[in-house]
């Protein structure tokens, strides 16, 4: 079974509008972390935002916010006021457990194209 | 912020030769580094977990004799693709997490290496 599922392979968004990228996960570990990364066409992976399984508040980082619904096992990324530079691939990822050596498992990604 | 340097960024080699990719954590120590492979328009697939001073842990289906990993210090891991073939052509990305980081510290990624085997 997939541990991280991103159901939207690609989407268009109008500049200055908000966009929500879906992510659902599957784990039996009560301690886990959820991450979102952005990958522009140049290939580098840019860390955007983090949500821990015990965090009571939804994470926010500038224009990025995470809609964390623990019971539904979803961690959707919301990008507000989209900019042309937001066009990229976006990956949701999960780390099970807190150890530094624990791997990150990635979802299939969502390609976002911001239209002017 | 934490920086991971990966070299080379791009390499073209002939079939049958070996290629070494270096991954360095520049301003932090990493007891563990991770090597991912990414096919065009696909996600990152973990190949192996590189542990400083010990053998790497390979994911199922990854040939350890094909993809040699050495993690000789707290700041350097290398991936050697041995006897490369065209099907090894891909984008390889390394990543590391600060050994002193807390649970919410992210993986920091290198800029990747695009390998083309002719």
């Amino acid at each position: 079974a997939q541990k991280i599922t991103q159901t939207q392979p690609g989407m268009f968004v109008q500049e200055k509008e908000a966009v929500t990228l879906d992510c659902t996960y599957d784990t039996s570990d009560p301690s886990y972390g959820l991450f979102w990364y952005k990958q522009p066409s140049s290939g580098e992976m840019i860390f955007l935002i983090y949500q821990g399984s015990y965090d009571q508040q939804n994470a926010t980082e500038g224009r990025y916010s995470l809609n964390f619904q623990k019971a539904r096992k979803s961690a959707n990324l919301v990008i507000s006021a989209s900019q042309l530079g937001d066009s990229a691939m976006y990956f949701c990822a999960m780390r099970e457990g807190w150890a530094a050596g624990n791997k990150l498992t990635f979802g299939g990604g969502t390609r976002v194209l911001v239209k002017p | 912020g934490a920086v991971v340097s990966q070299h080379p960024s791009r390499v073209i080699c002939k079939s049958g030769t070996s290629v070494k990719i270096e991954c360095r954590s520049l301003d932090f120590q990493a007891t563990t580094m991770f090597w991912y492979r990414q096919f065009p328009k696909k996600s990152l697939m973990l190949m192996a977990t590189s542990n400083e001073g010990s053998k790497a842990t390979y994911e199922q289906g990854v040939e350890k004799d094909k993809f040699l990993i050495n993690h000789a210090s707290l700041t350097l891991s290398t991936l050697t693709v041995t006897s490369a073939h065209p099907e090894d052509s891909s984008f390889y990305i390394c990543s590391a997490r600060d050994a002193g980081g807390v649970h919410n510290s992210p993986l920091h990624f290198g800029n990747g290496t695009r390998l083309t085997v002719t």
Side-chain angles (χ1 to χ4, degrees):
Chain A
Q2 292 285 336
K3 282 188 174 288
I4 295 283
T5 302
Q6 294 179 254
T7 58
Q8 306 151 308
M11 51 198 309
F12 290 98
V13 59
Q14 200 66 40
E15 191 179 12
K16 299 180 184 177
E17 291 186 350
V19 61
T20 297
L21 308 183
D22 295 341
C23 173
T24 58
Y25 59 92
D26 182 30
T27 180
S28 57
D29 195 326
S31 303
Y32 55 89
L34 298 159
F35 301 80
W36 277 91
Y37 284 85
K38 171 185 178 181
Q39 187 180 42
S41 57
S42 51
E44 74 266 33
M45 295 288 286
I46 302 168
F47 166 67
L48 297 178
I49 197 167
Y50 167 86
Q51 182 83 45
S53 59
Y54 297 112
D55 292 344
Q56 296 295 314
Q57 307 273 357
N58 284 344
T60 61
E61 287 287 347
R63 293 188 298 112
Y64 304 107
S65 60
L66 206 152
N67 182 3
F68 182 44
Q69 298 187 44
K70 193 170 181 177
R72 298 178 62 182
K73 294 189 175 180
S74 74
N76 298 341
L77 176 70
V78 179
I79 306 174
S80 62
S82 296
Q83 302 171 356
L84 296 179
D86 293 335
S87 295
M89 280 290 287
Y90 289 81
F91 292 100
C92 179
M94 177 174 65
R95 175 191 296 138
E96 294 174 281
W98 298 145
N102 290 359
K103 63 187 180 184
L104 222 55
T105 302
F106 286 85
T110 296
R111 183 170 297 279
V112 173
L113 185 59
V114 181
K115 298 186 294 183
Chain B
V3 177
V4 174
S5 175
Q6 184 173 345
H7 292 282
S9 58
R10 191 177 293 267
V11 58
I12 301 172
C13 71
K14 292 190 175 182
S15 188
T17 61
S18 295
V19 173
K20 180 185 283 188
I21 303 170
E22 289 191 349
C23 181
R24 294 180 185 272
S25 56
L26 296 186
D27 51 0
F28 64 97
Q29 293 185 332
T31 51
T32 304
M33 291 185 176
F34 303 90
W35 288 94
Y36 289 86
R37 180 174 182 177
Q38 186 179 30
F39 290 104
K41 301 188 189 304
K42 298 293 184 182
S43 186
L44 282 73
M45 299 300 296
L46 181 66
M47 299 175 63
T49 302
S50 168
N51 303 296
E52 187 267 335
S54 65
K55 291 184 179 180
T57 303
Y58 290 82
E59 295 297 300
Q60 190 173 10
V62 177
E63 300 176 60
K64 61 181 181 181
D65 295 329
K66 173 80 170 166
F67 300 99
L68 299 179
I69 291 173
N70 182 275
H71 193 153
S73 77
L74 287 173
T75 59
L76 173 64
S77 176
T78 61
L79 167 68
T80 301
V81 183
T82 63
S83 187
H85 290 285
E87 57 265 31
D88 298 326
S89 298
S90 192
F91 191 59
Y92 294 87
I93 314 178
C94 72
S95 63
R97 187 182 177 196
D98 190 336
V102 294
H103 68 85
N104 62 347
S105 55
L107 279 185
H108 303 285
F109 285 83
N111 285 345
T113 297
R114 191 163 302 283
L115 171 64
T116 304
V117 184
T118 60

